[in-house]
Amino acid sequence: MKTDIILCGVGGQGILSIATIIGEAAMNENLYIKQAEVHGMSQRGGDVQSNLRISDKPINSDLIAKGGADVIISMEPMEALRYLPYLNKNGWIITSSAPFVNISNYPDIEVIKKDLNKIQNVIVIDIEQLAKENAVPRSANVILLGAAQKALGIEYDKLEDAIRRVFGRKGTAIVDANIKALALGREAQK
């Protein structure tokens, strides 16, 4: 078992929280894990990216080579396309459909959607809308994680357990909101 994951988005969207949940689930299964984080100008809405590698065998490098990613999880559609050269030919992109327009020359969203639709394995979800409609506005990132669950090859209940461990110290309400968000994402990708 080997899964190479690129997580990307804009600073403050919860990319590193997703990485923590996935990492916790993997470590609880006694899998090897390596993570490399690249922080852009996250405090100013810059891009944030993390390489997350999971395997049942030792991992030598924490970076994913071009063409090596099995999954790209993106909180922002343009960021998903930015990392497309890293996706392998059978890889999956799971992305939010809602753009985070933080630059004056942000591409036309219809062009981005067309480019995403050319990809064989892609799931595009309006996680922001789902989060608002279901009263979990701070858990949109976990909705995206729920949609990515099958592509990650991690059992759903293992991700739930990881959420309990990662957010447990923040209280039951936070844990419950994130478990609800995970379920919303799983249902949305069907």
Side-chain angles (χ1 to χ4, degrees):
M1 181 260 171
K2 175 199 76 72
T3 306
D4 288 339
I5 308 156
I6 292 178
L7 299 128
C8 55
V10 175
Q13 290 185 305
I15 293 301
L16 301 180
S17 293
I18 295 173
T20 300
I21 295 166
I22 295 170
E24 179 71 23
M27 286 191 304
N28 199 48
E29 290 297 299
N30 295 316
L31 296 171
Y32 293 92
I33 182 169
K34 291 250 182 177
Q35 181 178 2
E37 298 171 6
V38 177
H39 300 277
M41 292 292 291
S42 59
Q43 65 274 37
R44 296 210 176 150
D47 69 294
V48 174
Q49 181 257 347
S50 179
N51 283 218
L52 188 59
R53 305 187 74 205
I54 301 168
S55 178
D56 56 359
K57 295 178 177 61
I59 303 166
N60 294 323
S61 173
D62 54 359
L63 296 176
I64 299 170
K66 286 189 176 178
D70 300 298
V71 182
I72 295 174
I73 300 174
S74 181
M75 291 292 295
E76 208 284 331
M78 183 182 73
E79 292 298 321
L81 293 175
R82 179 193 308 254
Y83 294 99
L84 190 57
Y86 289 87
L87 190 66
N88 71 40
K89 63 180 177 160
N90 297 314
W92 280 87
I93 289 182
I94 297 90
T95 185
S96 171
S97 62
F100 188 96
V101 181
N102 59 346
I103 55 175
S104 60
N105 60 343
Y106 192 95
D108 182 282
I109 190 62
E110 293 307 315
V111 172
I112 292 172
K113 286 179 182 177
K114 263 188 217 175
D115 288 344
L116 286 169
N117 286 331
K118 293 176 187 174
I119 300 162
Q120 178 182 343
N121 300 316
V122 66
I123 297 171
V124 181
I125 299 174
D126 189 343
I127 58 172
E128 297 296 331
Q129 187 63 35
L130 267 175
K132 286 176 191 169
E133 289 172 358
N134 290 279
V136 290
R138 298 194 58 162
S139 300
N141 60 333
V142 180
I143 292 173
L144 198 61
L145 176 59
Q149 179 260 321
K150 286 185 182 175
L152 294 172
I154 298 173
E155 292 178 34
Y156 182 82
D157 64 322
K158 304 300 181 192
L159 290 173
E160 271 191 348
D161 292 342
I163 286 170
R164 286 185 186 93
R165 287 189 300 278
V166 169
F167 295 112
R169 71 180 193 282
K170 293 185 177 188
T172 306
I174 301 294
V175 170
D176 291 346
N178 281 286
I179 288 175
K180 180 179 180 179
L182 188 72
L184 288 167
R186 178 174 65 171
E187 290 302 312
Q189 64 84 30
K190 287 184 179 180

